[in-house]
Amino acid sequence: MAPELQHTVGKAAGFSGTSLHTGEKVTLKLHPAPVDHGIKFKRKDLQDEPTIDAKIDNLKTVERATTIGEGSVRVHTVEHVLSALSAMGVDNAVIEMDANEPPIGDGSARPYVEVIKKAGIVAQETPRTFLDVREPMHIEGKSGAFLILLPDETFRISCTQAGPNNRFTQYLSTEITPAVFEREIAPARTFVYYEDVQPLMDKNLIKGGSLENAVVVRGDAVLSKEPLRFPDEFVRHKILDIIGDLALLGQRIRGHVVAVKPGHAVNAELARALSREGTRRAAVATPRTGPIGDGALDADQIMEILPHRYPFLMVDRILGFEGKTKVTGVKSVSIGEPFFQGHFPGHPVMPGVLQVEAMAQVASVLLFKLAETSSRIGYFMSADDVKFRKPVFPGDTLFVYAELTKTRGNRLAKAKCHCVVNDAIVSEAELMFTFVDK
Ligand SMILES: [Zn+2]
């Protein structure tokens, strides 16, 4: 069977509307993007038009809606447009906007489906990647919310929605295909409980909110401009939100999501857990042999690039590069390492900071290769999300992976790194570098 290909939109297309929180006019425009680009938001209203990756690592808040951001730049209420792109099969696109929030439309994903169809969906030359669920996963949230993910050949969601005192309890189970989404899920509108929105309305926090873009539940009454589109419209909208939040994984899922009283927080938690699982698998799947030749660098070649020397050279060999953004290095940890003398006598473990140093050196080799110059050197500026998961002992072989996630001009670069010993991640960090002339 031919592999499923990645898709983007055929041409630019957009629409305008009101943003929910500020009530101002906003125009959203979809643009085609190359393979492996993923979905990115572009803030056309800001200087330099910054982009934000629709990735779980950029998740900022999950109250009422899902907000992502990078640095000080934010995009709010991303879940409906992401849901439509994901379910309609668009893997790569730029979502350009002239405000910090997409137009809310009628509170459903229908306007986004329409704009995607207007732009057209075209196949690209590279296969899609999937995250296959291999064993059950389980996320528990607040106030009785939980999600279970089970292995399945397709992407399917079974959802139970329940309101206060179990009013409006609804259940729906369906496979998510573009046709099902367009017909059964996309038209389902946002719904809110009157007691939840009243304080926000009083504080003027939802200026664009109205009965035209949300269904309001007050007691047993359902208030909306247009009658309910489905008797079980609420659970359908919950499914819409799950798809949108899980789209932050940046990869298609083959699995069955069983959701009870889901919300953005628990949805995002599942996306995070899946992202970690994806990283772990990628690390474990990489070959553990040490080729010499094509793409590989031996110690002498590494020392032509890095100024580090014994006892501070923390990489013995570069096993290879993948494209322009990934590199794998290896460090054999021997009992002869000077640091074992004092760390600790009688109980030798490799200091975590030296694993971070190994990551920084391996990432530097990649940056050097990109810059194609040896007249400048990358300085390590910061390390975020550093985690030491398992001790590293003499005799271990440390596989060091670095992936470039961001470059700004030729001054700044960010890399996600992790070290693996015996198929388990022992440490991870996100490193930032700046370049200076030697
Ligand atoms: Zn929603």
Side-chain angles (χ1 to χ4, degrees), residues 343-412:
H343 196 276
F344 300 98
H347 176 58
V349 285
M350 184 181 188
V353 289
L354 292 182
Q355 295 170 44
V356 176
E357 179 60 28
M359 297 178 204
Q361 292 183 10
V362 169
S364 297
V365 171
L366 179 65
L367 295 174
F368 163 81
K369 210 176 142 117
L370 273 181
E372 287 166 347
T373 166
S374 53
S375 67
R376 295 165 67 219
I377 177 169
Y379 271 109
F380 188 13
M381 263 177 76
S382 71
D384 288 317
D385 294 327
V386 180
K387 289 197 182 74
F388 302 114
R389 299 191 179 281
K390 288 191 166 148
V392 176
F393 302 115
D396 282 343
T397 302
L398 199 64
F399 289 87
V400 188
Y401 299 85
E403 179 178 5
L404 209 59
T405 52
K406 191 122 209 163
T407 50
R408 201 158 285 161
N410 48 11
R411 286 277 154 217
L412 274 181

Side-chain angles (χ1 to χ4, degrees), residues 124-125 207 216 222 236 246 309 314 338 377 438:
Q124 295 173 291
E125 60 276 21
K207 292 196 184 81
V216 178
V222 174
R236 290 170 193 251
L246 290 184
R309 294 295 179 266
M314 289 292 149
I377 177 169
K438 258 190 201 165

Side-chain angles (χ1 to χ4, degrees), residues 62-83:
V62 288
E63 283 154 50
R64 293 187 301 279
T66 301
T67 295
I68 58 171
E70 283 187 53
S72 59
V73 184
R74 295 283 178 277
V75 183
H76 304 281
T77 326
V78 296
E79 62 272 20
H80 298 168
V81 62
L82 292 181
S83 182

Side-chain angles (χ1 to χ4, degrees), residues 295-371:
L297 303 176
D298 62 23
D300 285 338
Q301 292 166 308
I302 292 171
M303 285 192 284
E304 282 171 24
I305 298 171
L306 297 179
H308 308 71
R309 294 295 179 266
Y310 177 84
F312 222 67
L313 185 62
M314 289 292 149
V315 49
D316 299 331
R317 189 179 289 173
I318 294 293
L319 296 183
F321 299 89
E322 200 185 314
K324 286 187 162 174
T325 58
K326 290 185 187 173
V327 62
T328 307
V330 65
K331 156 88 186 147
S332 294
V333 182
S334 121
I335 186 65
E337 307 284 353
F339 51 78
F340 281 135
Q341 288 178 33
H343 196 276
F344 300 98
H347 176 58
V349 285
M350 184 181 188
V353 289
L354 292 182
Q355 295 170 44
V356 176
E357 179 60 28
M359 297 178 204
Q361 292 183 10
V362 169
S364 297
V365 171
L366 179 65
L367 295 174
F368 163 81
K369 210 176 142 117
L370 273 181

Side-chain angles (χ1 to χ4, degrees), residues 8 106 129 141 149 151 197 224-225 232 241 263 304 325 346 410 437:
T8 185
D106 60 1
T129 58
L149 189 55
V197 290
S224 62
K225 201 171 167 228
D232 56 355
D241 281 341
E304 282 171 24
T325 58
N410 48 11
D437 295 324

Side-chain angles (χ1 to χ4, degrees), residues 64-65 77 79-80 107-108 188-191 237-238 240-241 264:
R64 293 187 301 279
T77 326
E79 62 272 20
H80 298 168
S108 78
R189 291 163 296 171
T190 305
F191 64 97
H237 190 83
K238 287 286 188 184
L240 191 165
D241 281 341
H264 295 303

